[in-house]
Amino acid sequence: YNIPTRQQKAYLRQLEDIANNNNADAAIALGKFYARGENPFYNLKRSEYFYEKAYNLGHDEIGVALAKSYIYKSNKEKSGLDILQLLSKQGNGEATYEIGNLMLHKVDMTLQKKNSSCIATSFNEPHEFYINKMYAKQSRSIYLTNSVIPWYKKAYKQNSLDAMFKLISLDLQ
């Protein structure tokens, strides 16, 4: 860590040359390196570039990281979801689990928007607030049953332990 910045940059250039010569391991290492937010060399575009390189060289395991970066950091949800769906069809439980996470996030964001308008609205009768809250809770249950849980069940069948724990936590709610 006491290496001068100039020397660090030289090492990175060497590693990038190796990665650009179709070395997937180097590309994966660089993608992860540039993705770390606490890193002074943090660079989302560089991270995704090297993730793409490794993914295109046949390293499907990095496809999930690439897809998550697209979805949650780069506003390329469709591209990220396309990768996850392809990997899921190939039996990748981690990708299937991440689709479940994305669906859960969408459900919660949709209901949060509806709930915030519920809070800001004045009600004529006290029971109106309760009815709106119950509607939101029932809607979440329906969305979970139809849009989220099937993805977690599929991921569990693809040997994702994270999916098993998510199913247990959703069942407890």
Side-chain angles (χ1 to χ4, degrees), residues 7-21 26 30:
Q7 196 169 4
Q8 288 175 332
K9 289 179 182 178
Y11 288 148
L12 281 173
R13 277 194 300 276
Q14 287 177 339
L15 192 54
E16 286 183 9
D17 288 343
I18 293 168
N20 285 322
N21 283 317
L30 284 165

Side-chain angles (χ1 to χ4, degrees), residues 121-153:
T121 305
S122 61
F123 297 98
N124 294 328
E125 299 291 328
H127 69 277
E128 290 176 356
F129 177 77
Y130 176 76
I131 290 171
N132 281 343
K133 293 297 276 184
M134 289 307 296
Y135 173 77
K137 187 174 182 175
Q138 287 176 336
S139 295
R140 185 175 194 272
S141 178
I142 291 168
Y143 286 131
L144 288 177
T145 301
N146 296 327
S147 302
V148 177
I149 290 175
W151 287 107
Y152 289 136
K153 285 182 176 179

Side-chain angles (χ1 to χ4, degrees), residues 85 88 96-97 99-100 103 147-155:
Q85 288 175 331
S88 174
T96 307
Y97 173 75
I99 294 172
M103 296 298 120
S147 302
V148 177
I149 290 175
W151 287 107
Y152 289 136
K153 285 182 176 179
K154 182 178 179 183

Side-chain angles (χ1 to χ4, degrees), residues 69-82:
S69 184
Y70 281 168
I71 292 167
Y72 298 111
K73 296 179 181 177
S74 294
N75 201 26
K76 299 178 191 173
E77 184 178 301
K78 185 182 178 333
S79 297
L81 190 55
D82 287 346

Side-chain angles (χ1 to χ4, degrees), residues 8-133:
Q8 288 175 332
K9 289 179 182 178
Y11 288 148
L12 281 173
R13 277 194 300 276
Q14 287 177 339
L15 192 54
E16 286 183 9
D17 288 343
I18 293 168
N20 285 322
N21 283 317
N22 296 327
N23 184 311
D25 292 332
I28 290 168
L30 284 165
K32 289 178 179 180
F33 175 77
Y34 285 124
R36 281 188 254 139
E38 74 279 356
N39 178 354
F41 291 97
Y42 171 79
N43 185 324
L44 183 61
K45 287 183 181 182
R46 299 293 296 155
S47 172
E48 288 178 351
Y49 169 81
F50 286 109
Y51 280 161
E52 287 170 4
K53 187 145 199 65
Y55 181 66
N56 290 331
L57 288 169
H59 284 261
D60 289 345
E61 74 276 4
I62 207 65
V64 174
L66 174 61
K68 287 170 63 175
S69 184
Y70 281 168
I71 292 167
Y72 298 111
K73 296 179 181 177
S74 294
N75 201 26
K76 299 178 191 173
E77 184 178 301
K78 185 182 178 333
S79 297
L81 190 55
D82 287 346
I83 292 170
L84 291 176
Q85 288 175 331
L86 177 65
L87 292 171
S88 174
K89 285 179 186 174
Q90 294 171 354
N92 185 313
E94 186 183 359
T96 307
Y97 173 75
E98 288 303 332
I99 294 172
N101 284 344
L102 177 61
M103 296 298 120
L104 180 60
H105 176 73
K106 287 178 170 245
V107 166
D108 287 341
M109 295 308 293
T110 300
L111 292 176
Q112 184 178 354
K113 285 178 187 174
K114 289 182 181 182
N115 195 29
S116 64
S117 64
C118 178
I119 293 169
T121 305
S122 61
F123 297 98
N124 294 328
E125 299 291 328
H127 69 277
E128 290 176 356
F129 177 77
Y130 176 76
I131 290 171
N132 281 343
K133 293 297 276 184

